Each structure stands twice: as structure tokens, then as C-alpha cells.
Amino acid sequence: MKQATELSVDREDPRRYESITRQRLEDPASVQRAAAARQKHAGPVLGRQNFIIAADHPARGALSVGKRATAMADRRQLLDRLQIALQNPACDGVLASPDILDDLLLLGALEGKLVFGSMNRGGLTGLVNEIDDRFTGHTASALAALGADGGKMLTRISYEDPDTVKTLQATADAVSDLARHQLVAMVEPFISKRVEGKVVNDLRPDAVIKSMGIAAGLGESSAYTWLKIPVVQEMERVMAATTLPTVLLGGDPAGSPDEVFASWQAALALPGVQGLTVGRTLLYPEDEDVAAAVATAASLLNTTAPARS
């Protein structure tokens, strides 16, 4: 079994991931072999919250973190940070686009981890038809072949944009297809609108509740559906809107780290919350200490239930 690479390499060495390029060039089938040989996670258990690192942002052209416009542009740095996060035993897994997921498989960084693939990345940031968020990434059959645990889909609902119905239909089809493969459909819904040409998500509690109701009803079956929602005001009322397993997203960090972590801690105490699926806030913290940010987030989780053997 291949073990995750220890980050003892020189993080300033531009050739530190050249082995990945070599494998992709000379032996592309090594990705599937790495997936087949990977030890899987034992599976989610109620009462033991999961901690998943999200890293599918670049595939939608979203490279910024706070005021840093190109923070996620350097793939070597992103892989460094992801490996630091995944080496924390409390970090249960990753949510990533196909390219990043394949890199992590080749690095042996996903042993015993939950794996979620990012399915729709066609709604590029700033694109004229951004709401028409086409499914351009993982498919359910590809995720099943990789031995993944599920797929995630961003589902923005704009009452002002007729392209919304295309995204809803595509999401429903993906939910159904994942269910047929007995894989989790992690749906990330928002009520959205354009403000000065930019798509903005409505984070008022009533809007989040409405988006959850719409997302929960998509597809032939909700048996494998999870929701991925932001932490907003009145989270107790928000969580009362669903019986589906729900994970909390981080989004682009706003406010001080202490304020962000405190809001997560309060939300994690609510029924139905299965854990965190967070990316930029932890991978690109203000103080650049990824390990400390990940450890702090992990300390907020409820892990009292015994792990499934």
C-alpha cells in the first residue's frame, strides 16, 4: 500500500512534483491503479462528525482567497497545503476536481480517506452564463470506478435567470445517477442573483432554507443525498428545514479566524450536522499556518461515537 508523501521535501523546489508529471506522461493508467489499491474510509457514522477538505475551486476559475486574487493558482503550493491538511488524522477526506484528485491519488495521500468528486464546474466565475452550471467534471460512473464515496454539485438557483432550470435538471439527473451507484450526492444549493454583473449568493436564513427545500427534492431518490450549506444566522431554524445529513461549508473567509471558528462550533452542535467541508479558510489562513488552522477546525468536531469497524 502506498503511503502519503511526507512533506520533508524542499517546498521551494519547483521540481518537487515532477514525478506526477512523469507518471501522467509515461503511465497514465497509474491513476486508476492507485485508486484500486487505495484503502477506503470505513464510512460515516451518526455522532462522529466528518472533516473534509475542499479543493475544487480552480476548476471553476475561482483562484482568489480574500484579497489575494491568485492565491490558489500555484498547483505545487496547493498540493503542499492539501497534504499538510490530509496528514492530520482528524481530516477524513477530500472534495476535489478530477485533476487534483488524480494528483492526490498518485501521491498516496488518500489512504483511508473519504473521497468526493466535483461534478459541475461549467459555471465559471464571471462567465456570462455562470448560472448554467454545466456538468464538466466527474460523472457517477467515473466516481464508482475510482472507488469514491460520492459526488458534489454546486446548485445556484436564480429566479431572474432562465438557465436555472438547466442546472436543476442536470443536478436532478446527477443525484439519480449517484443513487443508482449507491454513492452520496452532496448538493450545495444557494439562492443567487446578479449584483452589478456578479453572481451573489443570498445568505439570509430564509433564502438558505428555501434552497435546502429545493435541493432535497431533486432526483429520483433522496436516499443518498446530503446537503452542503453555509453557516448563517439562525442556524437552529435553518437546520430544522431538513432531515438529510448536512455538512457545513466555509466559503471565502470573512471576519476574523476566531469569529469564523466560533460560528462553526455553534453550528456543529446542531442536530443533523455531519461535519465540515471546508477549503480556502483552512488551506490559506491569514497566518499561513495550515497545520494549526486544520487542527483548530478538527478540535470543533463531535467525534464521540465509535468509528465503524
Side-chain angles (χ1 to χ4, degrees), residues 286-307:
E286 290 180 359
D287 63 3
E288 290 294 298
D289 192 340
V290 177
V294 169
T296 299
S299 73
L300 307 178
L301 299 170
N302 176 8
T303 57
T304 56

Side-chain angles (χ1 to χ4, degrees), residues 105-238:
L105 284 168
L106 291 173
L107 288 167
L110 300 179
E111 294 301 314
K113 302 296 186 181
L114 290 168
V115 173
F116 290 89
S118 191
M119 301 181 75
N120 62 325
R121 299 282 83 187
L124 304 182
T125 301
L127 194 67
V128 65
N129 62 329
E130 184 173 342
I131 294 297
D132 181 3
D133 205 344
R134 308 253 178 134
F135 280 63
T136 57
H138 286 111
T139 61
S141 58
L143 289 169
L146 285 174
D149 298 278
K152 169 255 185 178
M153 57 223 73
L154 176 61
T155 306
R156 290 171 294 184
I157 303 155
S158 174
Y159 284 85
E160 303 167 350
D161 194 323
D163 283 336
T164 291
V165 71
K166 297 178 184 176
T167 299
L168 290 175
Q169 181 64 65
T171 299
D173 291 343
V175 169
S176 299
D177 204 7
L178 287 164
R180 285 191 286 269
H181 286 85
Q182 298 183 346
L183 297 176
V184 171
M186 185 186 291
V187 186
E188 181 181 0
F190 290 100
I191 303 297
S192 306
K193 62 180 178 180
R194 288 192 181 271
V195 178
E196 298 180 353
K198 181 180 179 180
V199 175
V200 176
N201 299 323
D202 189 341
L203 300 181
R204 293 175 298 177
D206 285 346
V208 175
I209 290 169
K210 182 182 287 188
S211 74
M212 293 165 68
I214 294 168
L218 296 173
E220 297 172 347
S221 169
S222 66
Y224 292 89
T225 302
W226 293 12
L227 296 180
K228 180 173 182 269
I229 67 169
V231 177
V232 297
Q233 298 293 319
E234 302 181 49
M235 279 300 292
E236 186 171 359
R237 185 163 69 89
V238 169

